[in-house]
Amino acid sequence: MCGIVGYIGEKNAVPILLEGLSKLEYRGYDSAGISFLDESTGSGQLKVIKREGRLSVLESAIPEGTSARLGIGHTRWATHGVPSFVNAHPHFDCTHEIVLVHNGIIENYRELKEKLLAGGHVFTSETDTEVIAHLIEEYYEEDIEFAVKAALNEVKGAYAIAALSLRERDRIIAARMGSPLIIGLGEGENFLASDIPAVLKYTRRIIFLDEREVAVITKDEVHISTFRNTRVEREPVTITWDETMAAKDGYEHFMLKEILEQPRALQQTISQYVCPDGKFSFEHMDLGEDTARELNRVFIIACGTSLHAGMVGKYWIEQFCGIPVEVDYASEFRYRSPLISERDLAVVISQSGETADTLAALRLSAERTKHTLGIVNVLGSTITREARHTIYTHAGPEIGVASTKAFTTQLAALLILSLHLGKLRGSIGRHELTLHQKQLSDLPQLLETALSMQERIEETAKSLAGYSDFLFLGRNMNFPIALEGALKLKEISYLHAEAYPAGEMKHGPIALIDERMPTIAVATGSHVQEKMFSNIQEIKARRGLVAGIINTGDSKAREIMDFCLEVPETQEYLMPLLNIIPMQLLAYYIARDRGCDIDKPRNLAKSVTVE
Ligand code: AGP
């Protein structure tokens, strides 16, 4: 939530900042602003240009010829204070010598603000952020780094900040506590951002700033130290993503591009962990045989789409490893007293690796068990650094706010983890394992076939886009797929969608059914397919319209449905990976028909780094 960028070097900072912000707009788009040492007017002043609304509004407000060698920028997802010009970042102190951008929430901002107001500071916004600028002003004599550290020692909450000082014109000061920040290293120039795609055009050499660290970034150097002034030496990581992976590539939306990328992404995940000789290879996970055998329980903790992947993972781990699995919303897990102990494995799943609740759940788990594992997409993100083991999903950058390829690759990672654990525990034999691995390797091609139904799904979407309430049903491991389908539709089309295990219908939700509420039902081949058919008949008997996700060539299923969304057939345990494809496409096309802003749905941000 909120994106930060910074640049210092010989190039014109202004277009670099704007371009960086365009790559971070997925983190929030309530307002945007930049601050820079103005060279164009010869004033040499710290200038701020900011606007309410999308980045494009800011872009058109920047006078031609504006140039600077140093600057910071921000794209906002509002927490404290409505989206408006005054609340847009960057924020000044009273003297206009210090300017600051911030991502996160300052929890004690009220008391700090009262104190600062009493001391004569004048505030211009309703934001929590502005207190940091004034606090830095309080401590600032001649060393901005000192002042930033002193100020942050008083601040409680989660934040990543970047600040400039008019008096120290050769540096950007950045700090993090709870919100991500990366530094991109160039030749005679350096970059700062909340996320890697913002700097990919210029560099792939990245330093990840850690909790309670401050970086002083000049054009030639980066000095990192802790809030307590201990010097930190950190080697940059060269990341494998490139700029084109984070570009729209001619597609109308990132979401569609990312849906269609899934076979390749899945292939990438599988090939990272399943070797041609049938062995598993885990670079960042070395859960030994003894640990695996002694495991008592697995806790899977995540939010949103990642949670739905975890819910499918439960079925696989219980089936292949014989270990009970609990799945929990991270936001709930962290505020109860989970009975997790030293013989339990805590698996946290997160595309971004930065989700505040998931991170807190990981930290809580780590207090009770050393067996913590992150299933994460973003390289070097906080969860990967704090979890004892990491399985990267290797989906490549996911920009669309609605998660798609992150989901299928999380599923693949969970499946591989289940098979690996099963092997270590001796609950899966060698022959069975080889068979599963072969079936797994066929998946990318099957996904390709499922995606080839794109046009038919587009047609179905046209018939359904006029309805305002939807029910999603599934059973067994396809119940989480129904949940994920409903989430996709809600978040990008703003339509009401509810998901239930089909067997629950009779316990209440069936009362909703009439000709105005269509049902999307997962009815592909499985041991519960007949039960599913019965549930669908019950809906049809009440004049409900049903769009069924069915296997190609399943004539019985065809007869029952009003609309058919077909996927190829494979083993039952693999079907969730295919069944989600029509759900994603259906949500996408319905949202497009309704003219929604698919990649930037209202009120949402991709990376939820606040509670
Ligand atoms: C789903 O489309 C959303 N983007 C959201 O539910 C997301 O999955 C959730 O916020 C968790 O994010 P994470 O995977 O980065 O932790």
Side-chain angles (χ1 to χ4, degrees):
M1 326 210 102
C2 299
I4 289 177
V5 290
Y7 173 79
I8 181 163
E10 293 301 329
K11 299 190 183 107
N12 185 0
V14 176
I16 295 175
L17 295 174
L18 293 174
E19 196 177 357
L21 288 178
S22 75
K23 298 288 189 304
L24 297 183
E25 233 190 336
Y26 71 84
R27 301 178 69 88
Y29 26 84
D30 289 331
S31 63
I34 56 171
S35 177
F36 50 91
L37 273 175
D38 189 14
E39 288 177 354
S40 34
T41 60
S43 69
Q45 291 301 300
L46 265 182
K47 188 145 187 180
V48 167
I49 305 179
K50 57 187 187 176
R51 288 293 180 273
E52 182 186 342
R54 299 283 161 100
L55 181 64
S56 52
V57 184
L58 172 70
E59 281 167 341
S60 44
I62 294 180
E64 211 151 304
T66 306
S67 78
R69 308 288 139 202
L70 164 72
I72 54 178
H74 188 266
T75 177
R76 180 168 187 244
W77 187 85
T79 58
H80 295 63
V82 294
S84 67
F85 174 81
V86 284
N87 290 333
H89 300 215
H91 291 287
F92 276 123
D93 69 329
C94 296
T95 64
H96 280 215
E97 285 191 344
I98 298 160
V99 74
L100 179 108
V101 290
H102 163 225
N103 164 28
I105 288 181
I106 306 305
E107 285 165 5
N108 59 340
Y109 86 99
R110 278 178 211 280
E111 43 197 276
L112 291 172
K113 191 169 178 176
E114 273 168 30
K115 202 171 92 181
L116 289 159
L117 282 169
H121 288 264
V122 178
F123 281 74
T124 56
S125 77
E126 303 155 293
T127 64
D128 51 343
T129 302
E130 201 183 341
V131 296
I132 315 178
H134 293 278
L135 257 187
I136 296 173
E137 178 190 351
E138 276 288 298
Y139 287 103
Y140 193 27
E141 285 174 6
E142 52 197 28
D143 183 351
I144 186 73
E145 182 187 358
F146 169 84
V148 165
K149 283 181 179 168
L152 293 182
N153 277 327
E154 289 196 34
V155 163
K156 289 194 189 115
Y159 50 83
I161 62 154
L164 302 179
S165 155
L166 187 59
R167 281 189 264 150
E168 293 172 70
R169 307 166 72 94
D170 64 340
R171 60 197 55 204
I172 301 172
I173 309 293
R176 76 159 275 179
M177 171 64 217
S179 300
L181 215 44
I182 60 114
I183 299 162
L185 302 182
E187 295 297 325
E189 60 183 355
N190 286 312
F191 305 81
L192 177 74
S194 298
D195 197 1
I196 299 167
V199 304
L200 275 181
K201 184 172 176 187
Y202 302 98
T203 182
R204 289 200 269 155
R205 291 201 308 135
I206 305 290
I207 292 179
F208 296 92
L209 211 59
D210 238 325
E211 299 293 58
R212 298 179 186 282
E213 286 180 355
V214 172
V216 179
I217 306 164
T218 63
K219 76 184 182 56
D220 298 310
E221 285 179 329
V222 175
H223 286 274
I224 302 176
S225 58
T226 65
F227 285 9
R228 296 183 168 205
N229 285 322
T230 308
R231 183 72 200 269
V232 176
E233 299 292 345
R234 180 156 315 128
E235 283 301 308
V237 176
T238 302
I239 60 135
T240 50
W241 294 358
D242 65 33
E243 201 206 347
T244 55
M245 291 166 89
K248 231 190 260 180
D249 241 358
Y251 287 94
E252 199 178 339
H253 298 102
F254 275 111
M255 184 180 177
L256 183 61
K257 174 182 178 245
E258 288 158 5
I259 290 174
L260 298 176
E261 269 172 5
Q262 289 179 104
R264 192 154 42 95
L266 204 71
Q267 180 60 53
Q268 184 70 12
T269 318
I270 296 167
S271 63
Q272 287 291 326
Y273 301 113
V274 185
C275 309
D277 63 3
K279 294 211 173 88
F280 292 104
S281 131
F282 290 105
E283 201 190 331
H284 305 282
M285 195 194 77
D286 52 359
L287 208 68
E289 213 170 281
D290 290 345
T291 306
R293 282 181 189 273
E294 280 169 17
L295 283 181
N296 230 345
R297 259 178 326 167
V298 176
F299 285 78
I300 300 181
I301 314 141
C303 303
T305 291
S306 299
L307 181 86
H308 298 152
M311 290 170 79
V312 179
K314 172 184 164 78
Y315 289 88
W316 288 330
I317 295 174
E318 291 185 343
Q319 176 178 339
F320 295 127
C321 315
I323 316 175
V325 180
E326 277 189 35
V327 187
D328 219 335
Y329 292 98
S331 54
E332 290 297 313
F333 179 89
R334 62 181 293 196
Y335 290 116
R336 63 182 173 92
S337 303
L339 298 174
I340 179 166
S341 61
E342 56 190 15
R343 281 179 54 199
D344 296 332
L345 169 68
V347 179
V348 294
I349 309 174
S350 175
Q351 188 286 130
S352 61
E354 303 289 351
T355 301
D357 283 323
T358 311
L359 191 55
L362 168 65
R363 288 173 181 161
L364 177 63
S365 306
E367 285 168 16
R368 301 174 188 197
T369 174
K370 61 178 188 213
H371 307 306
T372 58
L373 165 68
I375 296 182
V376 178
N377 190 37
V378 176
L379 198 91
S381 54
T382 309
I383 290 179
T384 68
R385 282 176 287 132
E386 296 200 15
R388 177 131 185 234
H389 310 281
T390 299
I391 298 182
Y392 281 111
T393 51
H394 295 285
E398 189 182 68
I399 311 292
V401 167
S403 224
T404 52
K405 63 176 180 171
F407 179 68
T408 37
T409 54
Q410 284 166 348
L411 289 180
L414 279 160
L415 183 51
I416 292 165
L417 171 69
S418 318
L419 296 175
H420 179 56
L421 271 181
K423 182 183 145 228
L424 291 177
R425 287 169 65 85
S427 51
I428 301 186
R430 186 190 294 248
H431 176 67
E432 194 190 342
L433 189 67
T434 316
L435 206 66
H436 288 312
Q437 287 178 344
K438 160 84 182 67
Q439 291 160 354
L440 193 61
S441 64
D442 291 340
L443 261 176
Q445 186 52 51
L446 291 168
L447 243 73
E448 205 76 73
T449 312
L451 286 165
S452 68
M453 301 293 167
Q454 192 182 345
E455 279 176 23
R456 274 216 235 147
I457 297 170
E458 191 175 355
E459 280 303 303
T460 310
K462 285 196 178 81
S463 309
L464 294 175
Y467 292 88
S468 48
D469 302 283
F470 289 79
L471 192 66
F472 283 70
L473 295 180
R475 275 179 177 260
N476 201 251
M477 56 181 75
N478 285 311
F479 164 53
I481 298 303
L483 284 168
E484 176 58 10
L487 175 60
K488 289 289 87 90
L489 188 64
K490 274 185 266 214
E491 66 180 331
I492 58 168
S493 70
Y494 319 141
L495 291 171
H496 168 227
E498 294 203 40
Y500 277 95
E504 274 294 296
M505 283 293 287
K506 285 199 255 325
H507 302 283
I510 200 161
L512 292 168
I513 298 295
D514 63 16
E515 65 282 3
R516 285 166 303 171
M517 188 176 205
T519 298
I520 317 295
V522 188
T524 46
S526 76
H527 69 290
V528 286
Q529 191 187 32
E530 284 299 334
K531 309 270 173 216
M532 203 61 213
F533 286 166
S534 305
N535 297 136
I536 291 167
Q537 295 290 14
E538 288 155 10
I539 293 169
K540 294 193 65 69
R542 286 154 183 86
R543 297 195 308 278
L545 204 63
V546 181
I549 294 170
I550 64 166
N551 289 124
T552 315
D554 185 340
S555 48
K556 189 169 175 195
R558 254 183 174 284
E559 270 173 34
I560 312 175
M561 309 298 173
D562 299 296
F563 301 98
C564 295
L565 309 167
E566 292 182 358
V567 290
E569 196 177 346
T570 183
Q571 286 69 33
E572 182 176 344
Y573 75 99
L574 294 173
M575 283 311 298
L577 283 128
L578 297 175
N579 291 338
I580 190 56
I581 301 292
M583 298 265 199
Q584 294 170 343
L585 286 168
L586 190 69
Y588 172 78
Y589 285 117
I590 289 179
R592 205 192 59 177
D593 282 348
R594 290 170 51 80
C596 298
D597 192 346
I598 291 177
D599 284 335
K600 298 187 189 94
R602 70 185 180 204
N603 306 339
L604 290 176
K606 183 142 188 82
S607 194
V608 185
T609 51
V610 295
E611 274 192 63

